[in-house]
Amino acid sequence: MKNSEIIEKDLKYNWHPCTQMKDHEFLPMIPIKKGEGVYLYDFEGNKYIDAISSWWVNIFGHKNPYINEKIKEQLETLEHVIFAGFTHEGAVKLGERICKLTNFDKVFYADNGSSAVEVAIKMSFHYWKNSGKIKPLFFSLENSYHGETIGALSVGDVGLYKDTYREILIKNITIPIPKDQTLQEAKSALKLAEKFFEKYHKEVSALIIEPLVQCAGYMKMHHPFFVKGLKELCDKYQIHMIADEIAVGFGRTGTMFACEQAGIKPDFMTLSKGLTGGYLPLSLVLTTNKIYSAFYCDYEEMKAFLHSHSYTANPLAIAAANATLDIFENKPILEENKKKSKYIWENIQKFKELPNVKEIRQTGMITAIEMIDYPWQERRGLKVYEYGLKNGVLLRPLGNVIYFMPPYIINYEEMDKMINTAYEGIKKAGNL
Ligand SMILES: *Cc1c(COP(=O)(O)O)cnc(C)c1O
């Protein structure tokens, strides 16, 4: 098969996510035949460095031999089983491992990030209801992103995805964020946040945040002190904290989980994306015995959490998650990442000399280069995307922000190629 034949058939039947399909009248669809390591290969032998980990999910490379083996093993014994009234070995293993790793007590399973956010929101509201309080509001942060289903979209704040649906969303109050990563900004944002807590706390079930990096929100970053301060406000005003670590969990920010850097333990934590190494859809909501016990009673009291998904705790996805945790246990991943992120940081200093670059920033294995405020209609980021594809690197900018979020197995030569291609692409996008 040739690229062109696949593209033609694809555009005839498939409707792709987060895409104005008409763009494909000028923007070529890339049909991928196979993946290996950091590379994606099309049907004509072109290869692309997956510098965005296929939407932030892949951490140990495509076609990872170890994860492949573990999924195959699972496939030979059990592909799926209902998770109500039944359990299986993988889930027992993953439940114990993830609780020990995060210091939580209980795991609830879902099959994608947005669903995990829905679960956390419902659980928090339901906890208060079971405790005799009705708290119908949620706090979330300016510029936040928590997914695309109605509840998750409601607590997000990226207008591009949200504005169209305003009339059908649940009630949410948005708290301003620090302007940058400095401690000073964190402190003044906390002062402002407290005003919201004072005013609304009686009606608010939970605050949901993306600790350290708002990924879909143009890779905006804040100081860990902001997260710590928000947790203190939550405790003071009796509001749950939901830490959405769907994108930042599993080593992305330099520590296994971003909350570690703030030294806090939230009431709920949502995980997905890197959880299965980028193989299969799975998500987790972690919580405490305190929350769990508010639902635990005789059936007739009607306090159970009756949420479910058909593919809850799918054994194949869980096998991938257990394999991913094995790799973290057996290899010095976080130490290696420290060296790699330092290397990336050193090598992007030259971007500051480009007249169309406004700021560079980094947290662990997330590095962002923000171009100047070009009007969005100019779609300069798209120019960088196109340049990247022509030159063998998949960069998928968010507006005027170009970022690197590669699989952790990327080597130094591949990092050079990724960085230099972005540099040339940004330079070119400035000279239109
Ligand atoms: C991607 C993402 C989600 C949504 O996960 P999906 O699996 O895409 O539904 C939620 N929260 C954050 C922080 C994310 O980055």
Side-chain angles (χ1 to χ4, degrees):
M1 275 252 213
K2 287 182 68 170
N3 281 352
S4 55
E5 295 167 53
I6 307 231
I7 294 169
E8 196 186 314
K9 272 224 169 106
D10 179 88
L11 292 176
K12 187 160 181 218
Y13 295 107
N14 294 337
W15 191 346
H16 291 259
C18 203
T19 300
Q20 169 49 262
M21 291 301 295
K22 191 163 190 284
D23 276 2
H24 286 302
E25 287 181 12
F26 68 89
L27 194 68
M29 169 73 59
I30 314 285
I32 293 302
K33 184 174 185 188
K34 65 166 192 172
E36 188 160 13
V38 294
Y39 290 104
L40 296 166
Y41 296 83
D42 70 14
F43 285 74
E44 287 163 13
N46 302 304
K47 61 176 184 176
Y48 308 88
I49 293 179
D50 188 355
I52 61 154
S53 296
S54 281
W55 258 349
W56 324 339
V57 298
N58 191 296
I59 53 181
F60 297 132
H62 295 277
K63 212 171 79 179
N64 180 289
Y66 183 74
I67 304 176
N68 277 16
E69 183 193 312
K70 290 291 167 183
I71 294 174
K72 282 180 198 160
E73 264 175 32
Q74 182 61 47
L75 197 54
E76 294 303 322
T77 49
L78 176 69
E79 79 303 328
H80 187 66
V81 62
I82 178 174
F83 203 60
F86 288 73
T87 193
H88 55 90
E89 231 178 316
V92 172
K93 197 167 157 194
L94 184 64
E96 181 177 13
R97 288 175 99 177
I98 207 84
C99 282
K100 288 197 170 147
L101 190 61
T102 56
N103 195 27
F104 278 95
D105 307 310
K106 288 283 185 270
V107 191
F108 194 92
Y109 296 84
D111 48 19
N112 64 78
S114 305
S115 296
V117 169
E118 301 285 342
V119 167
I121 287 172
K122 284 176 70 180
M123 259 186 196
S124 172
F125 174 79
H126 197 162
Y127 168 91
W128 293 114
K129 194 170 209 180
N130 282 351
S131 317
K133 292 187 182 133
I134 300 297
K135 303 213 278 172
L137 298 179
F138 292 89
F139 275 154
S140 59
L141 299 182
E142 178 191 353
N143 190 53
S144 59
Y145 179 87
H146 298 288
E148 301 289 349
T149 54
I150 296 295
L153 197 61
S154 302
V155 292
D157 186 44
V158 180
L160 179 63
Y161 310 129
K162 181 173 182 176
D163 286 347
T164 313
Y165 307 101
R166 290 251 174 236
E167 293 86 351
I168 55 169
L169 301 179
I170 62 170
K171 282 173 281 178
N172 170 69
I173 288 161
T174 307
I175 294 177
I177 50 166
K179 287 187 189 65
D180 56 38
Q181 280 174 287
T182 60
L183 180 60
Q184 195 187 345
E185 265 299 315
K187 285 182 177 168
S188 45
L190 284 169
K191 280 215 185 82
L192 204 54
E194 179 143 23
K195 299 223 178 337
F196 286 82
F197 279 75
E198 277 168 6
K199 185 165 176 200
Y200 295 106
H201 66 99
K202 288 210 180 89
E203 285 189 278
V204 172
S205 280
L207 162 72
I208 182 165
I209 65 160
E210 296 156 272
L212 304 187
V213 187
Q214 295 182 313
C215 295
Y218 309 95
M219 300 294 165
K220 280 217 174 109
M221 302 176 184
H222 50 255
H223 195 283
F225 188 81
F226 183 58
V227 178
K228 186 166 180 280
L230 287 175
K231 181 66 175 82
E232 283 163 9
L233 288 174
C234 284
D235 291 344
K236 181 171 167 191
Y237 289 94
Q238 300 247 320
I239 289 174
H240 293 145
M241 179 187 268
I242 303 168
D244 178 353
E245 295 226 17
I246 288 168
V248 296
F250 299 99
R252 266 298 163 198
T253 65
T255 42
M256 194 62 171
F257 301 102
C259 284
E260 291 168 32
Q261 291 181 47
I264 61 142
K265 186 183 162 189
D267 302 283
F268 300 93
M269 185 152 94
T270 54
L271 297 173
S272 186
K273 294 204 164 111
L275 170 65
T276 62
Y279 267 70
L280 287 158
L282 180 71
S283 62
L284 310 177
V285 179
L286 303 171
T287 193
T288 60
N289 278 332
K290 183 178 176 200
I291 301 288
Y292 179 76
S293 55
F295 295 81
Y296 195 87
C297 58
D298 289 330
Y299 186 82
E300 296 71 23
E301 283 187 54
M302 295 302 282
K303 286 184 172 179
F305 190 64
L306 297 178
H307 186 105
S308 66
H309 295 288
S310 315
Y311 285 99
T312 298
N314 173 257
L316 293 171
I318 284 186
N322 274 317
T324 300
L325 291 183
D326 290 344
I327 297 175
F328 273 110
E329 273 174 22
N330 298 330
K331 290 189 176 157
I333 304 295
L334 298 181
E335 286 94 283
E336 291 295 323
N337 280 359
K338 217 166 260 161
K339 290 181 213 152
K340 287 177 183 176
S341 65
K342 185 159 175 275
Y343 184 82
I344 294 174
W345 185 243
E346 283 165 3
N347 282 281
I348 64 159
Q349 295 306 310
K350 62 184 179 207
F351 284 71
K352 288 196 279 194
E353 289 152 22
L354 291 174
N356 61 333
V357 168
K358 187 164 103 177
E359 188 187 69
I360 59 173
R361 51 185 179 265
Q362 186 186 55
T363 301
M365 285 298 272
I366 307 173
T367 309
I369 300 131
E370 181 161 355
M371 295 192 291
I372 54 175
D373 298 329
Y374 290 119
W376 63 268
Q377 295 89 339
E378 289 183 16
R379 305 182 77 184
R380 299 276 182 138
L382 190 65
K383 303 289 175 213
V384 182
Y385 174 70
E386 290 182 277
Y387 181 87
L389 289 178
K390 275 200 195 91
N391 291 278
V393 184
L394 164 52
L395 301 159
R396 197 176 197 276
L398 295 154
N400 291 321
V401 176
I402 320 304
Y403 67 91
F404 305 130
M405 211 155 151
Y408 304 160
I409 50 130
I410 192 167
N411 68 28
Y412 287 81
E413 207 179 305
E414 290 155 355
M415 283 191 275
D416 286 341
K417 163 105 176 152
M418 170 181 86
I419 294 166
N420 294 334
T421 304
Y423 183 83
E424 293 303 324
I426 291 171
K427 198 161 132 188
K428 215 159 164 240
N431 296 327
L432 295 176

